[in-house]
Amino acid sequence: MTIEQKLTQLKTLFSQMDRALIAYSGGIDSTLVAKIARDVLDDRALAITAVSPSLLPEELEDAKVQAAQIGITHELVETREMDNLNYTSNPINRCYFCKSELHDTLKPIALKQGYPYVVDGVNADDLQDYRPGIQAAKERGARSPLAEVGMSKMEVRQLSRHLGLPWWDKPAQPCLSSRFPYGEEITIAKLQRVGRAEVYLRKQGYNNLRVRSDGNTARIELPPEQIKAFVLATDLSQLVQIFQDYGFACVTLDLEGYRSGKLNRVLSQQS
């Protein structure tokens, strides 16, 4: 199907819902869902963003701006996954406990305010990756419109551009907890130092990147084609000092470059 046909399917899906609450992170997927829900349901669509230490303040501000631009009612709610040892101990199914907390928070709000459906931004490509959070959402009755119509990540970007959304090429930005290898304890201090490091690099013009945390070592991942220019253009001693001020002891550069889901490789090696 073309993206126009999938857009028609999405509109039909929302028209059948009547009222919907969107689990809205401000990422490109959930923003597209929020946009279409707003277009179809008008004020019967509500976007809620979960606020926690794993969400960069800059990402929260983006979510607010985007919600205002598409005209959807937007609310914030605090989630407390950091209070759960099953989450902070960072097991391989960490995301299950994160999404459990999210949907256990959103579902009562939806029921109280008369929204029969909670929907998220999971797309068809997400179903092909290791995403234990999807299971948690399904167990709690959440729906994933993009996945239901078979829309891939590339198609999400294409449709967002087709609809005139200026953030159609926004880099993926999963929660900061994804920067830690499984088994390393997650703390608020560690989340903050990773977040500050990534914000610093973005301000230098590097948008599609990750700063992985491995103990007290920061490992910078950039697209492979940007690595050489980064090394030549960066004052490395200054960079190391800045990262050390954030709380890292060592700073390294991953020569393979950025790859989404890289930390999941350990799962295939163990199987």
Side-chain angles (χ1 to χ4, degrees):
M1 289 187 293
T2 65
I3 59 169
E4 288 83 2
Q5 290 172 322
K6 290 183 179 182
L7 174 59
T8 299
Q9 285 191 334
L10 287 167
K11 289 181 175 179
T12 299
L13 186 153
F14 276 112
S15 67
Q16 294 170 346
M17 288 185 181
D18 185 56
R19 291 170 62 85
L21 185 155
I22 296 90
Y24 169 66
S25 68
I28 185 172
D29 300 312
S30 64
T31 306
L32 177 61
V33 171
K35 160 67 174 172
I36 298 170
R38 173 66 174 87
D39 288 348
V40 174
L41 300 176
D42 196 43
D43 60 359
R44 291 173 288 128
L46 170 66
I48 295 186
T49 300
V51 181
S52 78
S54 65
L55 177 67
L56 275 173
E58 290 78 5
E59 291 297 313
L60 177 57
E61 289 307 308
D62 281 352
K64 292 177 180 178
V65 170
Q66 292 163 197
Q69 185 162 339
I70 63 180
I72 193 169
T73 302
H74 182 214
E75 297 180 3
L76 308 180
V77 64
E78 183 179 356
T79 53
R80 309 189 69 86
E81 61 268 22
M82 292 297 293
D83 294 343
N84 186 349
L85 289 176
N86 288 320
Y87 177 83
T88 58
S89 62
N90 199 14
I92 62 173
N93 62 339
R94 178 199 69 243
C95 290
Y96 178 88
F97 301 104
C98 176
K99 295 303 182 185
S100 296
E101 169 69 12
L102 172 64
H103 288 281
D104 285 343
T105 301
L106 295 183
K107 191 169 183 178
I109 296 174
L111 293 174
K112 182 178 181 180
Q113 298 190 25
Y115 292 91
Y117 296 96
V118 175
V119 302
D120 61 25
V122 171
N123 63 57
D125 288 344
D126 293 331
L127 303 181
Q128 310 305 315
D129 195 5
Y130 176 67
R131 300 290 180 93
I134 294 176
Q135 177 186 349
K138 286 184 177 180
E139 289 174 355
R140 288 154 179 80
R143 292 184 61 177
S144 305
L146 300 177
E148 289 182 29
V149 304
M151 183 164 287
S152 68
K153 187 72 172 186
M154 181 180 294
E155 289 173 325
V156 167
R157 295 192 182 281
Q158 291 173 342
L159 181 55
S160 297
R161 188 176 188 180
H162 175 74
L163 295 175
L165 303 181
W167 47 81
W168 65 271
D169 60 347
K170 181 179 181 180
Q173 181 70 346
C175 80
L176 291 175
S177 295
S178 66
R179 311 304 195 268
F180 300 85
Y182 296 122
E184 179 176 334
E185 181 186 10
I186 296 171
T187 67
I188 292 176
K190 287 181 177 181
L191 291 169
Q192 289 176 340
R193 72 183 184 185
V194 165
R196 288 195 294 267
E198 290 196 356
V199 168
Y200 171 78
L201 290 173
R202 288 197 186 95
K203 288 181 178 178
Q204 310 311 307
Y206 301 96
N207 293 317
N208 194 17
L209 71 121
R210 295 289 184 270
V211 175
R212 307 288 187 188
S213 175
D214 191 353
N216 287 320
T217 297
R219 188 177 76 247
I220 300 170
E221 294 181 8
L222 295 165
E225 65 275 11
Q226 294 182 7
I227 292 176
K228 183 176 181 179
F230 174 82
V231 173
L232 294 174
T234 302
D235 184 333
L236 297 179
S237 61
Q238 181 184 54
L239 175 69
V240 170
Q241 183 60 60
I242 289 171
F243 274 47
Q244 288 177 342
D245 290 343
Y246 292 151
F248 291 106
C250 302
V251 185
T252 65
L253 179 63
D254 189 324
L255 297 183
E256 180 189 16
Y258 167 60
R259 292 286 185 274
S260 179
K262 183 178 288 189
L263 294 183
N264 283 339
R265 287 178 180 172
V266 66
L267 304 178
S268 60
Q269 292 169 355
Q270 292 175 351
S271 62

